[in-house]
Amino acid sequence: MSLSSDLKDRRLKAIPQGVGNLTSIFTQRADNAELWDVEGKRYVDFASGIAVLNTGHCNPKIMAAAKEQMDRFTHTCFHVAMYDKYVELAEKLNEITPGDHAKKSMLVSTGAEAVENAIKIARSYTGRPAVIAFNGAFHGRTLLGMGLTGKVTPYKKGFAPFPTELYHAPFPGGYRGCDIEEAIAGLEELFRSDIDPARVAAFIIEPVQGEGGFNPVPAEFMQALRKIADEHGILLICDEIQTGFARTGKMFATEYTGIIPDMMTLAKSLAGGFPLSAVVGRADVMDAVHPGGLGGTYAGFPPACAAALAAIEVIEEEKLCERAVALGDKIQGRFKAMAEAKFDCIGDVRGLGAMVAMELVKDRTAKTPDADLTKALLAEAEKRGLILLSCGTYGNVVRVLVPLTVSDAVLEEGLNILEESLVAALS
């Protein structure tokens, strides 16, 4: 039995099936945009640990910063004995997030925790219970996160009941979404039929939907949503967990929309591979919660704080926002050329910066989703040495989240494998 086979057998015996696996790979080591399994097989990584590694695997500057902190101490619990890196990172996040108003930041460990805390803060500030999310959204796997998520399988199936006072409005734009006017009308209908806007604490929205299919929100809709929020005293939360830290070509995707959110949730590439998340918001909003109402034992893990400060430096020094735009142009260009030349199964190519996707269909006119072809493509890609992921409410969207530090040669290699895999999947 090979080492991989042995590990797979042990995994099946020791770990619940609910802890799903998107590939069959057991990792031995990784560097930048490449990964090697326990058998020594090399893979090009187009997943980045689901958007966590914008700065690449084992970025030397980030690893050195984390190690230096670990040599000092790893944990005190910020509530018990404070430390400088938490304060420095909060200051940096307040500085780089959209808006020149007074801001404050709190740190936790996961994206779902950031979402949970943002909702707690919104409810405390407004004194209202309700929250409105959007169809196709993904906001985490906690009960509140699942309640806000707008996709049933696999995230919500079998886990109800969810917390009350959570509502979903139509999501505008995209290959399958409604137009802006219809989305606004749907929101107004929600106010008429289900929830008084005077009871709504917050809207929460991803500037580009992640699990929903890499659908960018039209700037005009975000501006309309900001206006509606202001009219009714509702807070606007932008969930930048997957889009943040240069992935879309700006430090934060919200910058494309022309609006300033009241709060933002951050995670994934915040700390370059270390578990860390944050809520950043207006100082008056963030201070609405009483002392002791926010936090957690591991919130603001010191090595992760050090890693995050280094990751932000890497993004700024290596101009990864500009790199993301160049990567996105190349990936979208390749996908569009594939669609025009020989792949009728590619119904749509879309994205923002280096957050790029193509949607696979059985028929372009009918837009019939082809989830089976998508699964076959991902399996063929893995065989050929490419880590690739899917998303979308129909499971038929192929997404690319390659590290922004990838070399041109490795990017080209990965795109070639992807195209070859699609040929094989179709045959």
Side-chain angles (χ1 to χ4, degrees):
M1 180 180 289
S2 70
L3 184 54
S4 288
S5 297
D6 178 57
L7 284 167
K8 288 170 189 173
D9 184 57
R10 289 166 56 193
R11 179 257 183 269
L12 289 172
K13 293 175 181 177
I15 300 171
Q17 66 172 357
V19 182
N21 296 108
L22 302 176
T23 74
S24 62
I25 299 166
F26 277 92
T27 309
Q28 177 64 32
R29 64 184 180 93
D31 179 58
N32 197 4
E34 299 168 90
L35 181 151
W36 288 262
D37 72 8
V38 292
E39 306 293 342
K41 182 177 178 179
R42 173 182 168 273
Y43 295 85
V44 174
D45 187 359
F46 271 20
S48 293
I50 314 183
V52 169
L53 300 162
N54 289 356
T55 49
H57 289 279
C58 299
N59 184 283
K61 186 167 189 172
I62 296 170
M63 298 296 284
K67 183 180 185 301
E68 188 277 334
Q69 176 58 51
M70 285 189 285
D71 288 341
R72 293 171 59 205
F73 61 89
T74 59
H75 178 74
T76 63
C77 183
F78 189 74
H79 308 298
V80 175
M82 297 176 285
Y83 38 90
D84 56 349
K85 297 302 182 187
Y86 191 122
V87 177
E88 289 175 29
L89 181 56
E91 290 172 336
K92 188 64 176 178
L93 294 175
N94 296 339
E95 173 193 333
I96 66 174
T97 47
D100 56 7
H101 55 285
K103 288 176 252 176
K104 291 191 176 183
S105 295
M106 64 157 293
L107 305 178
V108 274
S109 302
T110 70
E113 274 188 284
V115 168
E116 292 258 355
N117 279 281
I119 301 307
K120 285 167 59 178
I121 294 165
R123 285 172 167 169
S124 181
Y125 178 81
T126 63
R128 302 174 179 184
V131 181
I132 296 175
F134 291 83
N135 295 341
F138 180 78
H139 296 295
R141 296 174 188 264
T142 58
L143 278 174
L144 180 61
M146 286 188 291
L148 293 168
T149 290
K151 182 180 178 182
V152 173
T153 303
Y155 304 115
K156 303 173 79 164
K157 185 178 179 180
F159 299 130
F162 301 112
T164 59
E165 298 281 28
L166 305 179
Y167 301 87
H168 287 88
F171 182 86
Y175 187 55
R176 300 180 184 279
C178 60
D179 61 31
I180 295 170
E181 291 74 19
E182 289 171 329
I184 294 171
L187 187 56
E188 292 171 346
E189 179 60 29
L190 190 65
F191 286 156
R192 284 192 295 269
S193 63
D194 286 309
I195 180 66
D196 180 354
R199 287 177 54 79
V200 178
F203 296 117
I204 183 166
I205 189 167
E206 301 158 277
V208 182
Q209 284 192 332
E211 291 295 320
F214 278 33
N215 303 304
V217 182
E220 297 85 353
F221 179 77
M222 289 291 276
Q223 292 160 15
L225 191 64
R226 176 75 272 181
K227 183 178 180 182
I228 293 168
D230 291 341
E231 287 173 354
H232 295 288
I234 299 169
L235 297 179
L236 178 55
I237 303 167
C238 285
D239 183 336
E240 290 259 14
I241 288 167
Q242 188 162 170
T243 53
F245 299 99
R247 172 53 55 182
T248 65
K250 292 187 181 292
M251 187 65 83
F252 303 102
T254 301
E255 296 175 56
Y256 285 103
T257 68
I259 65 103
I260 303 297
D262 298 297
M263 283 187 282
M264 295 173 64
T265 54
L266 311 174
K268 291 194 181 283
S269 276
L270 165 59
F274 289 80
L276 189 69
S277 63
V279 183
V280 184
R282 285 169 31 198
D284 60 324
V285 172
M286 298 295 287
D287 274 338
V289 179
H290 55 276
L294 302 175
T297 303
Y298 290 103
F301 180 53
C305 289
L309 287 163
I312 294 168
E313 286 185 9
V314 170
I315 291 169
E316 294 173 341
E317 291 170 358
E318 298 187 15
K319 301 185 185 303
L320 293 188
C321 288
E322 292 90 334
R323 178 63 173 163
V325 172
L327 290 171
D329 288 346
K330 185 161 189 175
I331 298 165
Q332 284 210 47
R334 180 67 172 268
F335 286 176
K336 288 175 181 177
M338 289 166 57
E340 292 170 4
K342 57 182 177 180
F343 293 106
D344 291 339
C345 59
I346 301 176
D348 189 44
V349 174
R350 56 181 178 267
L352 196 60
M355 191 172 179
V356 181
M358 62 179 179
E359 184 156 351
L360 301 184
V361 296
K362 297 177 182 178
D363 180 87
R364 281 184 179 174
T365 303
K367 299 183 180 180
T368 310
D370 200 337
D372 290 338
L373 176 59
T374 305
K375 290 177 184 176
L377 167 58
L378 268 57
E380 290 290 342
E382 183 179 335
K383 289 179 187 177
R384 289 167 168 75
L386 175 66
I387 301 173
L388 196 60
L389 301 178
S390 63
C391 62
T393 53
Y394 296 92
N396 68 316
V397 178
V398 178
R399 54 176 162 171
V400 175
L401 288 165
V402 66
L404 304 180
T405 49
V406 65
S407 70
D408 290 341
V410 171
L411 175 68
E412 187 67 21
E413 179 187 0
L415 291 172
N416 289 340
I417 295 172
L418 192 155
E419 185 168 349
E420 293 163 4
S421 301
L422 185 53
V423 171
L426 285 165
S427 64

